[in-house]
Amino acid sequence: MIPYIKGRTTHQAHVNVPEGTYEEEYARNGFSGRYAHLYRSEAPVEWISIEGPLKPRAYDFKKVQADSNDYLSSRKPYLENSDVKILFSKIKTEMNYFFRNADADEVLFIHAGFGKLETDFGPLNYTSGDYLIIPRGTVYRLAPTELTEILIIESFSEIRFPDKGMLGQHALFDPAVLKTPTPEPSLLTSDVYQLKIKRCNEITTIKYPFNPLNTVGWKGTLTVWQLNVKDIRPVLSDRYHLPPSAHSTLIAHNFVICSFLPRPLENGDPQAMKVPFYHSNIDFDEVLFYHKGQFFSRAGISEGMMTFHPQGIHHGPQKEAISRTSDVKETNEIAIMIDTKNPLFPSKDCELIENTDYWKSWSNLK
C-alpha cells in the first residue's frame, strides 16, 4: 500500500483542495480498499448528456398510492439483485391475515405513520424513524393506526449489526437501546386465521382454527429488533469528512445499510470539506432514501424521494452545494443509504415515479 504523489495535490485528503481543482476519490471495495485521489480541473459530473443504463435516477414515492386493503399487494419492488430487494409500501388499514417471509430477512424502515407490529415474539408499537428488523421465517402482522409508509429491504442473507471495532461496543448506538417484544395475545380475532407464506416469490396460504401468534414465552439470541434513528449517535470528526461507511447501521452479505443523521459538520478546519467528496462508484451501487430534513448536498430533493447511482459512473455533490454549505455549521438531514456490491436493476414500477431530469442536476444545463 505505497502512496504515490504526483502533480498538484493536497497534503490531507478532503482538506485544503488546491484552488481551481475538484477532488475525486477513486477506490476499491467502497472506502476500505486501495485508493487514489484525483485532482481534476473540472468536476467529473459536469456532463451534457448521458445515454444508457448508468444514468443516475431519482424516484418520488409521494406519487405512490396507498393500498388500504392488502399489505402484500402494496409491497412494490423498485430495485433488486440476487442479494437484496428494495420495496416501498403504503397501507391504511390493519392486515386481516399473518405473513411469513421464507425468502428473506426483512428491514422495515417506517418513513411515516404509527401502529403496531405483531410477531411470533410479541408486539412492538412502531413510529416514524423506526427500523424494524424481522428475521427470515418470523410470522408478523401490521396494524397501522394511521397511514403508514414503509421502505422495505429484503435481504437474502442474515441481517447483522456491524463490528464497531476500536470505537467500542457502545458507539453509534448502545445495544441496550434495542427494543425486543414480549409475548401478548394478538389483537386479531376470527373464526378462521390465515397465514400467507412467501417462498420463491410465490404465496402459500395456510388456514388455522386458532390464532397462529400463540407464543407465551421465548428465550435466545434471535428475535425481532426495533431501533429508532433518534437513538443512533453518529460518529463525528471536527476536521475531516468521514466516509459513508462510518455511518453503517446494519450489514448483510454484499450490501450495507447506513443512517445519515443530524450532526455537526466539519467546523474545526475552515479548509476541510463539509459535503461528500466526488467518487467513482467502482464497486458498489448507491441508493439513498430521504426521510426528513434539509438535504444539504443536493437541491431539488425532498422527503420521500430515493436516488439511485449505479456503479461505474461518478457521483458527488452539486457544485453549488460546496459554496452553499461553507458557512453551515450542522446538518439536520435523515437519510438511509443502501450500498450493494452487485448491480441493482430497476423494476417497471420505477418508470411511474421517476424524475427523468435528475441526471441534469449536477450541471448548469437549463
Side-chain angles (χ1 to χ4, degrees):
M1 298 282 288
I2 303 171
Y4 303 98
I5 302 175
K6 306 288 184 179
R8 191 155 62 108
T9 71
T10 184
H11 178 67
Q12 165 69 52
H14 319 323
V15 178
N16 194 22
V17 174
E19 186 176 354
T21 71
Y22 299 86
E23 183 186 70
E24 172 199 334
E25 183 156 325
Y26 169 68
R28 304 308 306 268
N29 198 26
F31 301 95
S32 60
R34 290 186 297 157
Y35 70 94
H37 290 107
L38 308 177
Y39 297 87
R40 300 184 182 275
S41 59
E42 302 292 339
V45 294
E46 284 285 321
W47 38 59
I48 59 172
S49 68
I50 303 176
E51 297 296 334
L54 295 188
K55 182 183 294 185
R57 310 282 180 175
Y59 307 113
D60 189 352
F61 289 119
K62 294 186 291 296
K63 297 178 180 179
V64 173
Q65 298 299 309
D67 188 323
S68 61
N69 297 313
D70 186 64
Y71 171 60
L72 290 183
S73 66
S74 77
R75 291 164 52 110
K76 299 287 195 251
Y78 289 91
L79 297 167
E80 63 182 291
N81 63 24
S82 59
D83 302 307
V84 63
K85 185 181 292 188
I86 300 169
L87 311 94
F88 196 81
S89 169
K90 291 184 180 181
I91 54 171
K92 293 179 179 178
T93 58
E94 64 181 70
M95 296 164 62
N96 60 5
Y97 57 88
F98 300 93
F99 175 59
R100 172 190 289 151
N101 193 334
D103 284 331
D105 283 25
E106 292 189 359
V107 177
L108 309 186
F109 179 77
I110 307 299
H111 175 53
F114 301 91
K116 179 168 285 191
L117 169 71
E118 295 184 344
T119 78
D120 278 326
F121 298 90
L124 290 166
N125 293 316
Y126 67 77
T127 188
S128 175
D130 273 341
Y131 285 106
L132 302 172
I133 302 135
I134 304 173
R136 181 198 305 247
T138 300
V139 175
Y140 73 87
R141 185 179 83 99
L142 288 165
T145 54
E146 67 175 41
L147 175 65
T148 294
E149 303 180 21
I150 314 170
L151 179 72
I152 302 170
I153 303 163
E154 287 192 350
S155 171
F156 304 122
S157 60
E158 185 176 3
I159 291 285
R160 311 183 307 280
F161 297 109
D163 181 2
K164 299 173 186 178
M166 61 187 274
L167 293 176
Q169 59 185 319
H170 300 105
L172 297 173
F173 61 87
D174 185 334
V177 306
L178 292 171
K179 294 180 181 178
T180 57
T182 299
E184 289 180 12
S186 169
L187 296 177
L188 183 63
T189 58
S190 179
D191 294 329
V192 177
Y193 296 85
Q194 291 187 76
L195 170 61
K196 297 187 178 185
I197 304 173
K198 183 171 81 74
R199 177 61 177 162
C200 297
N201 269 335
E202 294 185 327
I203 298 295
T204 297
T205 301
I206 301 174
K207 295 183 178 180
Y208 292 98
F210 55 84
N211 192 310
L213 292 188
N214 55 6
T215 303
V216 296
W218 67 270
K219 63 186 183 71
T221 59
L222 180 66
T223 185
V224 173
W225 292 275
Q226 181 180 28
L227 173 66
N228 195 278
V229 291
K230 71 178 185 299
D231 290 320
I232 300 175
R233 313 291 175 127
V235 178
L236 307 175
S237 174
D238 197 41
R239 301 175 62 214
Y240 176 77
H241 189 85
L242 297 173
S245 50
H247 304 287
S248 298
T249 305
L250 299 164
I251 60 173
H253 180 63
N254 284 339
F255 77 93
V256 62
I257 301 171
C258 301
S259 306
F260 297 129
L261 301 169
R263 62 194 185 278
L265 294 175
E266 295 74 13
N267 300 310
D269 186 337
Q271 296 178 323
M273 280 189 179
K274 292 184 177 182
V275 295
F277 39 83
Y278 295 109
H279 51 284
S280 296
N281 283 29
I282 294 300
D283 288 324
F284 285 86
D285 276 9
E286 180 183 293
V287 175
L288 264 173
F289 176 78
Y290 297 88
H291 174 53
K292 283 184 185 290
Q294 297 294 319
F295 308 107
F296 74 102
S297 65
R298 179 157 301 282
I301 292 294
S302 59
E303 297 175 4
M305 295 185 71
M306 184 173 76
T307 56
F308 170 41
H309 304 107
Q311 54 192 277
I313 194 167
H314 287 93
H315 176 48
Q318 290 172 317
K319 185 185 291 186
E320 295 81 2
I322 299 173
S323 57
R324 188 171 62 241
T325 58
S326 60
D327 296 325
V328 176
K329 300 299 182 184
E330 59 187 16
T331 170
N332 70 344
E333 68 182 6
I334 302 177
I336 309 304
M337 187 179 81
I338 305 158
D339 265 10
T340 70
K341 186 111 180 176
N342 290 316
L344 290 163
F345 298 95
S347 71
K348 290 291 185 182
D349 286 305
C350 287
E351 298 174 4
L352 303 176
I353 60 171
E354 183 176 358
N355 175 358
T356 55
D357 287 334
Y358 172 68
W359 67 273
K360 299 177 182 178
S361 64
W362 282 273
S363 73
N364 294 316
L365 287 174
K366 302 298 182 185

